[in-house]
Amino acid sequence: DAKTTQPTSMDCAEGRAANLPCNHSTISGNEYVYWYRQIHSQGPQYIIHGLKNNETNEMASLIITEDRKSSTLILPHATLRDTAVYYCIVQGGSEKLVFGKGTKLTVNP
Amino acid sequence: DAGITQSPRHKVTETGTPVTLRCHQTENHRYMYWYRQDPGHGLRLIHYSYGVKDTDKGEVSDGYSVSRSKTEDFLLTLESATSSQTSVYFCAISTGSNKNTGELFFGEGSRLTVL
């Protein structure tokens, strides 16, 4: 079973920041938070991951709360091509990734 | 890109026939995975491999077998295909370290239809 809870769907205006929340209240100390997205009919795409510090790369930023029980993926300037299903996953060590149902993000013009 | 190729990309077959899907990587990554994706179920892990001849079951392994005789190839076999195995199959490799394998790179998928 997925260890995370995400909203089923969200909308965002093009050019605005998209903030996707994720709850992972049972996360263990050695578990990372991973974010993936899947654009229609394509394979999932890795976005970013973190342990306890905030992380940023060319795609997105990941904000993890101090107690690590929740996180937010931020797409700073959403475009129509960011419309996808976004998956938040908790995983530690060599465990397998378990994908939940994710959040369907729709970026509107 | 991690250099991962799935073949065939599309296949239509009949119930009871054997089917083999191939996943090929051009790099030397240790961990490889097979997932299936169906409407209403999302992505589910079938089998994975953590080295040559080292494989293990995922959450939906019944009806599937795998083999990894060399690092670059991970084969998924349906010994006798059933209509319930109609799905899109994704292969993935882990590009992270051995201690943290969550950074996966996925192939483009193989769409299998069993009539």
Side-chain angles (χ1 to χ4, degrees):
Chain A
D1 289 335
K3 303 177 184 178
T4 61
T5 303
Q6 299 178 252
T8 301
S9 63
M10 295 182 63
D11 285 276
C12 177
E14 188 177 18
R16 305 295 295 269
N19 297 285
L20 292 94
C22 179
N23 287 322
H24 31 79
S25 58
T26 61
I27 191 170
S28 301
N30 67 337
E31 290 181 318
Y32 288 76
V33 179
Y34 284 84
W35 283 85
Y36 282 77
R37 73 179 182 183
Q38 187 173 24
I39 298 169
H40 181 62
S41 79
Q42 298 181 17
Q45 178 188 23
Y46 165 82
I47 301 173
I48 198 168
H49 76 281
L51 185 61
K52 48 187 175 181
N53 297 323
N54 297 338
E55 302 288 344
T56 295
N57 62 20
E58 65 278 3
M59 290 182 67
S61 294
L62 174 60
I63 308 298
I64 303 174
T65 58
E66 192 169 344
D67 63 8
R68 304 214 315 129
K69 293 185 177 182
S70 66
S71 62
T72 301
L73 179 75
I74 301 173
L75 308 179
H77 305 286
T79 70
L80 299 180
R81 287 175 295 181
D82 291 322
T83 291
V85 177
Y86 286 78
Y87 299 97
C88 170
I89 304 166
V90 165
Q91 187 256 14
S94 59
E95 294 176 357
K96 291 79 68 182
L97 282 186
V98 177
F99 286 78
K101 297 197 184 301
T103 297
K104 168 75 169 143
L105 174 68
T106 302
V107 180
N108 300 304
Chain B
D1 286 351
I4 182 171
T5 306
Q6 290 185 229
S7 59
R9 294 289 313 283
H10 301 272
K11 185 172 182 65
V12 179
T13 191
E14 294 187 347
T15 298
T17 60
V19 175
T20 295
L21 305 180
R22 180 185 183 228
C23 179
H24 177 79
Q25 61 161 324
T26 57
E27 300 182 5
N28 201 29
H29 296 290
R30 179 181 174 191
Y31 288 85
M32 299 184 75
Y33 308 80
W34 276 108
Y35 286 85
R36 62 177 288 177
Q37 186 167 36
D38 307 287
H41 289 282
L43 277 152
R44 293 180 291 174
L45 181 65
I46 306 171
H47 280 280
Y48 67 102
S49 170
Y50 46 96
V52 173
K53 293 188 167 54
D54 291 324
T55 65
D56 205 349
K57 297 178 179 180
E59 57 185 313
V60 289
S61 60
D62 287 349
Y64 301 95
S65 63
V66 289
S67 66
R68 189 148 177 222
S69 59
K70 46 187 178 178
T71 301
E72 58 265 35
D73 287 326
F74 191 32
L75 304 180
L76 177 71
T77 297
L78 292 64
E79 300 290 349
S80 178
T82 68
S83 58
S84 65
Q85 294 175 310
T86 292
S87 186
V88 179
Y89 292 84
F90 288 102
C91 175
I93 58 176
S94 175
T95 57
S97 69
N98 285 338
K99 290 185 179 180
N100 191 290
T101 57
E103 190 170 337
L104 300 189
F105 187 86
F106 283 80
E108 295 182 328
S110 295
R111 183 174 296 275
L112 175 66
T113 301
V114 183
L115 302 175

